[in-house]
Amino acid sequence: GDGVALERVSPESAEGTRRRWRDYDAVLFDGVAPAPPPTEGHFLYLAPRGAGSPFAARGTIAAPVISDVRRGHPLLRQLDLGDVNIAEADRLTLSAGDVAVAASFGVPLIVARARPGLRVAALAFDVRRSDLPMRPAFPLLLSNALAWLAGEAARDALPVTVGAPARVPVPAGTKHVTVVDPTGARLEWPARGDVAQGAIAHVGFYLVGDVPIAANLGDARESDTTPARALVLCGRALPPADARSRRPAFALSTWALLAAAALLLFEWVSTNRRWTV
């Protein structure tokens, strides 16, 4: 088990699953918006249309340009949406508390809504009628959206690596803790002091007592897209780029050009003063 359960249904069958929507970490509607719009759960809409859209549309805008972004919003973490080409977008109407994460001269293109028990993110355009899917920003945008929709639950999961032992805090005095692994199997981990320790054999989510942990095969440092605070080369920390740019640096070619210019100047002076023939 990889800890991820994906269920795909047709627009016609979506209504039959409505009672389970709030139980999913995220529900994605692609080009559809079942009515009435849900009031509980976590939802991502791609070009929501119809009476069930949580953001009523007032016409369309052709070839919108992303001119304004709300930097610092979780949906845009590590994202560059510059020069994204979009054929057409709906003019979505926002309610009080809604956030236009990205906009085209005041027309919302990416929006977010957070209410008690409800989180909604939406793109006002059909991604298939844009070049966004061909850009590195697209998977990052989806990843950011899913993480934001999951809210605090996703951030509470401790990251661990498959094949390595995991150490999880438990109440002091605990001797054993019940663990549910990604396959659904139950096992016991021994605890010593205020830490339980056990082996991680599967990719996915474990529940150690009431503490969720996320196991994967990757190194968190290798997959971290956050810009490095410092650049270390051969064990020596390099100064910031702006500091390096202020330092005078003359390459060998620069000195060669200066020498050639000096030689030409001397030749010109000596010729005009008849030092040479």
Side-chain angles (χ1 to χ4, degrees), residues 104-168:
S104 175
F105 301 101
V107 178
L109 296 177
I110 302 176
V111 299
R113 171 179 293 173
R115 305 281 192 273
L118 175 69
R119 286 201 176 195
V120 178
L123 273 63
F125 57 92
D126 186 343
V127 295
R128 286 172 287 265
R129 300 192 62 201
S130 75
D131 61 2
L132 181 58
M134 295 183 288
R135 296 176 178 267
F138 187 55
L140 282 174
L141 176 60
L142 291 180
S143 177
N144 289 347
L146 294 176
W148 179 77
L149 290 172
E152 295 294 334
R155 292 194 290 271
D156 287 343
L158 300 176
V160 296
T161 303
V162 174
R167 295 170 55 86
V168 180

Side-chain angles (χ1 to χ4, degrees), residues 19-191:
R19 60 184 178 83
R20 292 188 282 121
W21 288 353
R22 64 181 181 181
D23 298 327
Y24 287 101
D25 293 323
V27 177
L28 189 152
F29 296 118
D30 187 3
V32 296
T39 57
E40 290 183 286
H42 313 117
F43 303 92
L44 173 60
Y45 288 83
L46 303 180
R49 295 187 176 94
S53 174
F55 310 96
R58 298 178 291 105
T60 61
I61 176 174
V65 176
I66 297 179
S67 60
D68 308 295
V69 295
R70 185 175 286 258
R71 301 192 183 279
H73 193 280
L75 290 181
L76 298 187
R77 181 177 179 271
Q78 307 299 324
L79 225 61
D80 180 9
L81 295 174
D83 300 325
V84 172
N85 297 298
I86 303 170
E88 185 181 73
D90 293 321
R91 292 178 177 269
L92 301 183
T93 302
L94 305 190
S95 301
D98 294 346
V99 177
V101 180
S104 175
F105 301 101
V107 178
L109 296 177
I110 302 176
V111 299
R113 171 179 293 173
R115 305 281 192 273
L118 175 69
R119 286 201 176 195
V120 178
L123 273 63
F125 57 92
D126 186 343
V127 295
R128 286 172 287 265
R129 300 192 62 201
S130 75
D131 61 2
L132 181 58
M134 295 183 288
R135 296 176 178 267
F138 187 55
L140 282 174
L141 176 60
L142 291 180
S143 177
N144 289 347
L146 294 176
W148 179 77
L149 290 172
E152 295 294 334
R155 292 194 290 271
D156 287 343
L158 300 176
V160 296
T161 303
V162 174
R167 295 170 55 86
V168 180
V170 295
T174 302
K175 300 299 183 182
H176 296 86
V177 62
T178 301
V179 179
V180 180
D181 72 10
T183 68
R186 291 180 173 270
L187 54 150
E188 296 283 330
W189 280 6

Side-chain angles (χ1 to χ4, degrees), residues 237-253:
L238 299 182
D242 57 347
R244 294 199 301 271
S245 64
R246 292 193 296 267
R247 294 182 178 179
F250 294 98
L252 183 61
S253 58

